[in-house]
Amino acid sequence: MFKRHPKNPIISSKDIVSSNPELKDVSSVFNPGGIQFGDKILLLLRVQNRGRETFLVKAISTDGVQFGIENEYIQINGLDKIDETVFHIYDPRITKMGDTYYVFAAMDVVGKCLLGIFKTLDFTSLEFLGFTGDEDNRNGVLFPEKIHGKYARFDRPNKMKVESGVTTGSQIWFSESEDLIHWESKEMVMEGRLHFWDEMIGAGPPPVKTEKGWLLVYHGIAMHYQPIYQVGVVLLDLDEPWKIISRGRYNILEPREMWEMVGQVPNVVFPTAMICENIDENGNANLECEVKLYYGAADTHVGLATSTIRKMIDACYA
Ligand code: BMA
């Protein structure tokens, strides 16, 4: 149901061109945050250099396929106000509320991964607002509107240590906040399905509102001999988004192309941005709207696949 764009992978390491030695001949570019930015599409690319250091680089496009990529990474202000050593800031997820763009990102600090929140009005720089908790957590996605008067997000607490030593998780939670910094876990939304395609899970791009419910794209990992990262979809109640209306039985995208199966981490499609340009005055995505899904492939490239909201909702019932 998702069609890969013929120009895939749409962004690769050779597309990062910079005179900054830190961005010279980089290893990989993947897991981009993305948002409609005026009449353009903006991506925040996760770029990894040969020191395995991470940078966020802005890219802008009019057609969503051909991107003009900045030759410098985006400046992040406000990190000096914290004591922790931050090793990496990565996997950004972007949500617009009013005139402000908020970015949730994973932040590796000593011994754990925390969720940080940032804001910007124009993406000339990002302002770090703070960590949104002190427990290991990842895949935070902010809703584009408040739910029952509070900011709302899905997140994925990491409670499990797997063989590689990495912490991961198998539950997506609904959390709420008065101020975007202090979050309270409210309801467990869904769990991994052992033995099937989505044994471990985490939210993908921020949820998209439709007249049928909140549409959430998520990643699921089959914990086989080697993990296989795939993409799935679930429809959630508009008023109580922790309640599932229907969850797709099948993945809707899985590693099949060589550039998805081979790379820094093999067999990974990891969705982080979903753009639907046709949103009505109630904030609902039009059912026939084309959806652009941007994803990291094998932790090495950026891929693009398209579908429609209606087909994605249908997939929730398949
Ligand atoms: C997840 C995250 C992602 C990464 C994926 C595959 O746990 O770390 O950033 O793309 O693993 O390696």
Side-chain angles (χ1 to χ4, degrees):
M1 51 140 320
F2 262 101
K3 278 208 181 78
R4 287 176 179 79
H5 196 276
K7 292 227 167 92
N8 271 325
I10 59 156
I11 303 176
S12 296
S13 54
K14 63 173 173 11
D15 300 318
I16 309 294
V17 179
S18 174
S19 54
N20 181 347
E22 291 176 293
L23 292 182
K24 194 175 162 217
D25 187 25
V26 299
S27 306
S28 52
V29 46
F30 56 112
N31 298 4
I35 193 95
Q36 185 77 36
F37 185 61
D39 58 356
K40 309 259 182 350
I41 289 176
L42 179 144
L43 297 182
L44 269 185
L45 307 170
R46 171 179 175 182
V47 173
Q48 212 171 54
N49 72 10
R50 297 177 63 142
R52 288 287 181 277
E53 297 160 345
T54 309
F55 301 92
L56 298 179
V57 176
K58 184 168 79 183
I60 290 192
S61 171
T62 43
D63 63 3
V65 179
Q66 204 73 42
F67 279 88
I69 302 176
E70 298 259 294
N71 47 23
E72 254 310 335
Y73 53 83
I74 196 163
Q75 207 56 49
I76 300 177
N77 302 318
L79 286 170
D80 44 352
K81 65 182 176 203
I82 48 168
D83 294 334
E84 269 95 340
T85 305
V86 177
F87 300 109
H88 298 280
I89 301 176
Y90 59 103
D91 295 0
R93 308 312 211 281
I94 310 173
T95 301
K96 189 178 187 196
M97 291 185 92
D99 289 336
T100 307
Y101 298 91
Y102 292 101
V103 180
F104 264 117
M107 297 175 73
D108 284 352
V109 298
V110 177
K112 57 188 171 185
C113 172
L114 300 178
L115 274 174
I117 186 159
F118 306 78
K119 75 171 185 185
T120 181
L121 291 174
D122 54 12
F123 289 95
T124 48
S125 61
L126 293 182
E127 184 190 340
F128 178 59
L129 301 179
F131 294 117
T132 61
D134 54 14
E135 297 205 354
D136 211 302
N137 203 340
R138 231 188 267 204
N139 304 306
V141 293
L142 180 66
F143 280 65
E145 57 187 63
K146 289 186 175 176
I147 305 284
H148 303 296
K150 292 186 179 167
Y151 292 104
R153 83 174 181 198
F154 289 132
D155 50 43
R156 206 283 308 280
N158 288 332
K159 297 184 187 297
M160 219 176 277
K161 225 180 184 70
V162 291
E163 248 173 76
S164 62
V166 172
T167 47
T168 183
S170 61
Q171 295 181 337
I172 294 176
W173 280 73
F174 177 87
S175 308
E176 55 184 28
S177 169
E178 299 276 0
D179 60 2
L180 289 168
I181 304 291
H182 303 90
W183 289 85
E184 196 184 327
S185 296
K186 191 174 151 75
E187 302 278 348
M188 205 273 284
V189 180
M190 56 194 251
E191 287 189 276
R193 294 180 283 208
L194 277 183
H195 305 290
F196 298 103
W197 75 266
D198 50 354
E199 299 185 273
M200 312 294 267
I201 54 175
V208 170
K209 197 167 118 183
T210 77
E211 61 186 46
K212 309 278 186 198
W214 288 100
L215 192 57
L216 178 72
V217 168
Y218 67 100
H219 68 263
I221 316 166
M223 304 298 282
H224 291 230
Y225 169 66
Q226 287 232 316
I228 307 168
Y229 281 73
Q230 305 137 81
V231 180
V233 71
V234 58
L235 193 64
L236 300 141
D237 187 79
L238 279 177
D239 191 47
E240 297 175 309
W242 51 90
K243 290 192 180 156
I244 294 177
I245 298 172
S246 196
R247 177 176 175 181
R249 172 174 165 190
Y250 306 101
N251 76 36
I252 54 170
L253 194 72
E254 64 180 15
R256 291 226 175 147
E257 299 292 321
M258 201 51 98
W259 48 276
E260 296 167 340
M261 296 190 294
V262 177
Q264 213 179 190
V265 180
N267 289 320
V268 176
V269 289
F270 193 85
T272 39
M274 171 173 164
I275 311 265
C276 164
E277 291 174 32
N278 194 340
I279 308 273
D280 72 16
E281 63 284 358
N282 300 318
N284 288 323
N286 184 293
L287 296 182
E288 310 313 327
C289 175
E290 189 203 52
V291 171
K292 291 188 176 70
L293 186 72
Y294 296 92
Y295 59 98
D299 284 12
T300 303
H301 305 285
V302 174
L304 166 63
T306 58
S307 184
T308 66
I309 294 284
R310 190 183 292 282
K311 284 187 191 159
M312 293 174 74
I313 291 177
D314 289 347
C316 295
Y317 290 95

